[in-house]
């Protein structure tokens, strides 16, 4: 976990960490996990899903890692922001431009290329327009008109985007809790504990509907986001130790054989992830020195994988063929997204926040 000779690290908000590289590996693992589902029609053959008795998959654990790091970094971002407006502008410029280009490209370019419907049928379909609801994190249609209807995992065009609405909800919850200056530590700890209670009472969201469905999913993911917030708020008291990190990982590995895997993952796995982020070797950190393409990998992988499914089914190991081919194409698209969409948007956002007019407005807000 740690470079030779390194035994301790402190939780800081400097960029001298391996978080971007962790997120990239996590995004790649989501891709690998989805390859089982997309080539077989279910996740029953996915290794971690089988090992944990259906409690979690590689994709789930990877999303958990995203939320842990988000909780840590977003809480810190809130403290550094000059106002609520500044906080939300930073979040918007980071997440929305890449998402909007991805969704629009999917509807306007990808869908027409693969649909079996006529262009008139495709563009007049409520299913197609329903997918545009992803632009604003709204409940949406999962697919596009007559796209991938005969695939093992039929009609799905981008099964990764569902987590984004809950991440934004966690941002909102973080902002509210962090505003409680006098007792925010207790409030965060209470909200985090409540997420465990809800997840224990409702271990599976299948069969639930309405608001209850969304509350259960949000609570499930807040166990990880909240863990990141707790690590941030108690950063002066928590010691990141390489040996403790390895012990935490061992506890998580053993927990895979118990019914409490996800609860233990949220506590001990979160500590291990943050430990590794600060103690990761330089060569691991260097993977993303030229740009953070993890978000691009996450939002583009699923449709690329679906497009490749017919070709991959002809191979003896379809999931492996799908993973390898899709990863190469997705990384290329993610690099384009970072260079021409995400990084310019982040840069523009920073300039906007530094402008005299915005600074004056933030001071009044």
């Amino acid at each position: 976990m740690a470079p030779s000779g390194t035994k301790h690290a402190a939780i800081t908000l400097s960029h001298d960490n391996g978080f971007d590289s962790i997120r990239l590996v996590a995004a790649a693992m989501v891709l690998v996990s989805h390859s089982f589902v997309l080539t077989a029609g279910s996740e029953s053959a996915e290794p971690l899903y089988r090992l944990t008795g259906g409690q979690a998959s590689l994709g789930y654990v990877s999303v958990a890692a995203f939320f842990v790091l988000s909780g840590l970094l977003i809480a810190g971002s809130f403290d550094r922001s000059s106002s609520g407006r500044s906080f939300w502008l930073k979040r918007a410029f980071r997440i929305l431009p890449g998402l909007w280009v991805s969704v629009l490209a999917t509807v306007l370019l990808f869908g027409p290329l693969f649909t079996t419907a006529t262009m008139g049928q495709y563009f007049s379909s409520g299913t197609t327009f329903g997918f545009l609801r992803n632009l604003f994190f709204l409940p949406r249609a999962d697919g596009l008109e007559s796209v991938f209807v005969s695939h093992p995992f039929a009609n799905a065009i981008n099964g990764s985007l569902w987590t984004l609405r809950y991440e934004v909800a966690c941002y909102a919850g973080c902002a509210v809790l962090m505003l409680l200056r006098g007792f925010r530590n207790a409030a965060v700890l209470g909200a985090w504990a409540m997420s465990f209670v809800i997840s224990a009472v409702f271990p599976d969201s299948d069969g639930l509907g309405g608001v209850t469905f969304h509350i259960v999913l949000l609570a499930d993911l807040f166990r990880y986001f909240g863990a990141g917030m707790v690590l941030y708020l108690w950063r002066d008291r928590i010691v990141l130790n390489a040996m403790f990190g390895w012990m935490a990982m061992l506890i998580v590995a053993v927990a895979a054989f118990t019914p409490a895997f996800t609860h233990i993952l949220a506590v001990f796995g979160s500590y291990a992830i943050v430990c590794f982020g600060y103690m990761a070797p330089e060569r691991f950190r260097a993977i993303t020195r030229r740009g953070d393409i993890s978000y691009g990998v996450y939002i583009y992988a699923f449709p690329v994988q679906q497009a490749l499914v017919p070709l991959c089914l002809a191979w003896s190991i379809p999931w492996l063929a799908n993973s390898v081919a899709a990863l190469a194409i997705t990384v290329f698209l993610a690099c384009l997204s970072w260079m021409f969409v995400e990084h310019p948007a982040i840069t523009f956002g920073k300039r906007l926040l530094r402008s005299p007019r915005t600074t004056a407005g933030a001071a009044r807000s």
Side-chain angles (χ1 to χ4, degrees):
M1 177 173 293
S4 178
T6 301
K7 296 188 180 295
H8 302 281
I11 297 177
T12 68
L13 295 179
S14 72
H15 294 291
D16 186 22
N17 57 59
F19 291 161
D20 288 350
S21 296
I22 290 175
R23 284 193 291 253
L24 179 57
V25 172
M29 288 300 98
V30 171
L31 183 155
V32 172
S33 182
H34 283 164
S35 70
F36 288 89
V37 180
L38 298 182
T39 58
S42 75
E43 58 185 353
S44 59
E46 206 263 16
L48 189 58
Y49 186 85
R50 294 175 63 184
L51 183 66
T52 61
Q55 293 181 79
S57 63
L58 288 171
Y60 178 91
V61 171
S62 299
V63 168
F66 280 127
F67 274 74
V68 171
L69 297 181
S70 286
L72 174 69
L73 298 174
I74 297 304
S77 176
F78 184 89
D79 268 351
R80 295 196 311 273
S81 298
S82 58
S83 66
R85 182 187 181 204
S86 171
F87 171 77
W88 282 111
L89 279 174
K90 285 186 286 186
R91 302 282 63 76
F93 279 109
R94 179 62 187 101
I95 199 170
L96 288 177
L99 174 66
W100 285 350
V101 170
S102 173
V103 171
L104 291 174
T106 300
V107 171
L108 300 177
L109 300 175
F110 193 85
L113 183 63
F114 289 96
T115 185
T116 56
T118 66
M119 289 298 97
Q121 292 171 329
Y122 175 82
F123 282 109
S124 63
S125 169
T127 302
T128 297
F129 279 94
F131 189 79
L132 291 173
R133 293 166 69 86
N134 281 298
L135 292 170
F136 303 103
F137 314 108
L138 298 171
R140 85 292 184 207
D142 290 327
L144 296 171
E145 179 61 37
S146 301
V147 177
F148 304 143
V149 293
S150 60
H151 281 39
F153 196 74
N155 301 310
I157 193 73
N158 198 333
S160 298
L161 300 184
W162 72 270
T163 64
L164 298 183
R165 75 181 68 169
Y166 298 106
E167 184 164 1
V168 172
C170 285
Y171 293 170
C174 173
V176 171
L177 292 169
M178 295 292 284
L179 281 172
L180 306 174
R181 298 288 180 181
F183 53 97
R184 67 180 183 180
N185 286 30
V188 168
L189 200 59
W192 189 44
M194 182 58 65
S195 70
F196 281 88
V197 173
I198 294 173
S199 295
V201 175
F202 299 98
D204 194 342
S205 59
D206 289 346
L208 300 175
V211 176
T212 304
F213 172 82
H214 295 293
I215 290 175
V216 169
L217 278 179
L218 179 59
D220 178 29
L221 294 171
F222 190 79
R223 287 182 297 170
Y224 307 102
F225 191 94
M229 291 187 68
V230 168
L231 287 167
Y232 170 75
L233 291 174
W234 275 270
R235 63 193 180 279
D236 294 331
R237 302 180 183 178
I238 295 173
V239 176
L240 297 181
N241 178 279
M243 182 181 68
F244 293 164
W246 283 115
M247 290 173 63
M249 291 179 67
L250 179 60
I251 291 171
V252 170
V254 173
F257 301 96
T258 75
F261 174 70
T262 61
H263 298 303
I264 292 172
L265 176 68
V267 177
F268 293 95
S270 298
Y271 178 84
I273 288 167
V274 173
C275 261
F276 183 78
Y278 286 110
M279 298 182 178
E282 179 59 32
R283 60 182 178 276
F284 179 78
R285 303 182 189 201
I287 295 173
T288 51
R289 284 289 187 226
R290 296 188 178 184
D292 179 11
I293 64 170
S294 59
Y295 185 48
V297 170
Y298 187 76
I299 61 178
Y300 282 101
F302 199 101
V304 171
Q305 289 183 269
Q306 277 285 54
L308 293 171
V309 163
L311 296 175
C312 297
L313 291 177
W315 289 74
S316 58
I317 310 179
W319 73 265
L320 182 59
N322 188 268
S323 296
V324 173
L327 185 60
I329 297 171
T330 302
V331 166
F332 174 71
L333 294 176
C335 288
L336 294 180
S337 178
W338 174 256
M339 288 188 292
F340 298 109
V341 180
E342 297 168 58
H343 187 254
I346 293 169
T347 302
F348 175 77
K350 290 179 178 178
R351 291 174 180 170
L352 180 65
L353 289 170
R354 285 198 298 264
S355 68
R357 179 180 299 178
T358 304
T359 303
R364 291 192 297 270
S365 62

